[in-house]
Amino acid sequence: DDAPVRRMDWRTVLLGVLALVGTAVLVALVNLQMSTDRERDEALRKQAHTYEVIIRAGLLSTAAAESESALGRYVVSADRAIGRQYSQAWSNAAEHLNRLATLTRDDARQQRQIAALRRAFDARGKELADTALYSIFKRDRDALGYYYQVSESPARAELHKRLDGIVARERNLLVASGPFAEVLRVPA
């Protein structure tokens, strides 16, 4: 009579142990999923940040090129409306530079690159402004000559070099940030 009771106790204990093991496995799976979701979300946040920095750098480059182009048209035509386009485009470029500095403020190395970029931007801005001044004062031949002289200046090259460095740094940060970031890596 005691044998069936012991057998039932053994089965009940085994069932309880299996239930506890199953619950522990389920809790571990839920925790693993939550951890994976957090890592994925962080990788997506970093990817979005990288894209935003890259896009902002591209917008800065585009605005600077538009400004240079408008200045060239202004030098040739002496049309004040085109001169205002040059000025507006350069102001837009400055706004993009400020936004880029804000986006990268959490990275000291990027801030050093932004400072160097700002120096190159200011030097390039001075070159372009000097060219515009020649046109403003009706020194058209001087304006045209100076425009061509600074068209491939070291400041222009430095500006583009610094922009490329900022983009490369962001890409490297994304790749180095973890396995999800590698999957989400920005194409070169």
Side-chain angles (χ1 to χ4, degrees):
D1 227 23
D2 282 342
V5 172
R6 273 191 229 145
R7 217 182 264 168
M8 193 164 51
D9 286 344
W10 177 81
R11 287 181 185 161
T12 304
V13 169
L14 181 60
L15 185 61
V17 168
L18 289 175
L20 287 175
V21 168
T23 302
V25 168
L26 182 62
V27 167
L29 286 174
V30 167
N31 282 336
L32 180 63
Q33 182 64 43
M34 288 172 46
S35 173
T36 303
D37 287 347
R38 278 191 303 273
E39 287 178 22
R40 184 202 65 226
D41 290 346
E42 181 63 15
L44 287 171
R45 186 195 64 73
K46 287 178 181 179
Q47 181 190 34
H49 179 266
T50 296
Y51 279 139
E52 190 171 358
V53 169
I54 289 170
I55 288 168
R56 189 61 61 174
L59 289 171
L60 170 55
S61 180
T62 299
E66 286 173 356
S67 178
E68 291 177 24
S69 175
L71 179 60
R73 291 191 312 275
Y74 176 53
V75 165
V76 170
S77 71
D79 181 348
R80 290 200 181 272
I82 296 174
R84 284 189 293 277
Q85 289 174 2
Y86 146 73
S87 179
Q88 183 59 47
W90 194 254
S91 292
N92 288 343
E95 288 175 25
H96 291 305
L97 177 56
N98 290 335
R99 181 65 181 134
L100 194 57
T102 300
L103 285 170
T104 58
R105 71 178 172 260
D106 60 339
D107 183 348
R109 187 168 163 198
Q110 281 288 56
Q111 283 300 299
R112 287 190 298 276
Q113 288 188 349
I114 292 291
L117 174 64
R118 193 173 298 278
R119 287 189 298 275
F121 182 83
D122 291 343
R124 185 65 177 155
K126 182 175 178 348
E127 292 173 346
L128 299 179
D130 289 347
T131 303
L133 282 174
Y134 283 126
S135 287
I136 289 170
F137 292 112
K138 307 291 185 212
R139 293 177 55 191
D140 298 330
R141 290 185 140 233
D142 292 334
L144 191 57
Y146 193 68
Y147 178 75
Y148 284 113
Q149 182 183 341
V150 299
S151 65
E152 294 298 325
S153 73
R156 184 175 190 268
E158 184 69 13
L159 180 69
H160 291 289
K161 175 184 162 193
R162 294 300 175 173
L163 282 169
D164 291 345
I166 288 167
V167 168
R169 169 83 174 145
E170 278 301 314
R171 286 185 174 148
N172 290 339
L173 286 173
L174 180 66
V175 170
S177 65
F180 278 106
E182 181 63 32
V183 171
L184 301 171
R185 190 173 67 83
V186 178

